[in-house]
Amino acid sequence: MKNSAIYPGSFDPLTNGHLDILERAAKMFEKVYVTVAVNNKKTAVFSGDERVSLIEEAIQDKEWKNKIEIEQFTGLLIDYARKKKVNILLRGVRQISDFEYEFRMALTNRRLAPEIDTLFLMPDEQLTFISATIVKEVAAWGGDLSSFVPKHVAKALRKKYA
Ligand code: PNS
């Protein structure tokens, strides 16, 4: 589909950084498929359904919410993209340390599917240190999550780590 993009990730859970990227993407594209990777090598704290619900709740009051479609996927991202007939993958890059992994992933995807390109977006600079991994660590030790994730995500995290 023209003027659409896929924003893939583990989203375990959604952070304010993801939300920032999603908002930027929604301004650029008519349709953004948020694809929640399940069954990849990472062990997730939240189930696929839980991760989708947390994203749904985070965007429910946004004026751009109708541009967003959230789905779970397993397997290769390029297969999913081809099925959707979308040839742009969006990834957020926060800092140089993200770049090596992202570069490898983008070039692997390009080798597998030359018609698909990866577009990198930068989040607001205030959010560049936030990652789902760090957020889970803060949650595990009972820290204040209010500046890292939306309220309902913080609540879900506190429940997981209670
Ligand atoms: O949020 P993450 O964990 O950094 O997202 C990584 C993700 C899900 C985008 C990546 O692991 C992925 O695309 N997995 C699907 C399998 C695949 O297509 N691998 C080939 C690209 S290296």
Side-chain angles (χ1 to χ4, degrees):
M1 192 206 263
K2 284 232 179 327
N3 205 8
S4 61
I6 289 172
Y7 180 32
S10 301
F11 302 105
D12 183 44
L14 175 95
T15 67
N16 289 341
H18 292 131
L19 209 47
D20 177 279
I21 296 290
L22 192 52
E23 176 149 22
R24 287 170 204 282
K27 286 182 185 152
M28 295 169 76
F29 295 95
E30 291 304 321
K31 180 111 222 141
V32 180
Y33 297 95
V34 178
T35 61
V36 177
V38 288
N39 284 359
N40 62 353
K41 6 184 238 288
K42 292 185 186 171
T43 317
V45 168
F46 291 92
S47 71
D49 287 346
E50 287 172 326
R51 286 180 265 162
V52 169
S53 302
L54 291 175
I55 302 169
E56 276 169 356
E57 196 172 338
I59 66 168
Q60 69 185 1
D61 296 329
K62 307 284 185 193
E63 68 196 17
W64 40 266
K65 70 166 185 235
N66 292 336
K67 290 179 157 195
I68 311 298
E69 218 168 278
I70 309 162
E71 284 187 352
Q72 299 179 45
F73 89 107
T74 52
L76 281 181
L77 187 55
I78 52 125
D79 289 336
Y80 174 86
R82 280 177 167 160
K83 208 171 83 195
K84 288 278 171 199
K85 299 193 188 328
V86 175
N87 58 9
I88 297 177
L89 305 175
L90 300 173
R91 292 286 290 169
V93 275
R94 294 158 296 191
Q95 39 211 323
I96 291 289
S97 53
D98 282 341
F99 191 73
E100 197 184 335
Y101 168 61
E102 293 299 334
F103 193 66
R104 264 190 284 132
M105 201 155 63
L107 291 184
T108 304
N109 284 331
R110 180 184 280 172
R111 178 64 63 91
L112 294 169
E115 78 281 14
I116 297 175
D117 263 308
T118 303
L119 209 65
F120 294 115
L121 296 176
M122 285 175 294
D124 185 290
E125 72 217 36
Q126 311 272 5
L127 304 172
T128 52
F129 64 95
I130 300 177
S131 74
T133 306
I134 282 181
V135 162
K136 283 179 280 194
E137 187 161 330
V138 174
W141 294 102
D144 176 11
L145 296 164
S146 58
S147 57
F148 306 134
V149 293
K151 271 198 184 102
H152 68 286
V153 177
K155 195 171 160 201
L157 277 162
R158 280 197 298 272
K159 213 165 145 194
K160 284 275 175 202
Y161 289 97

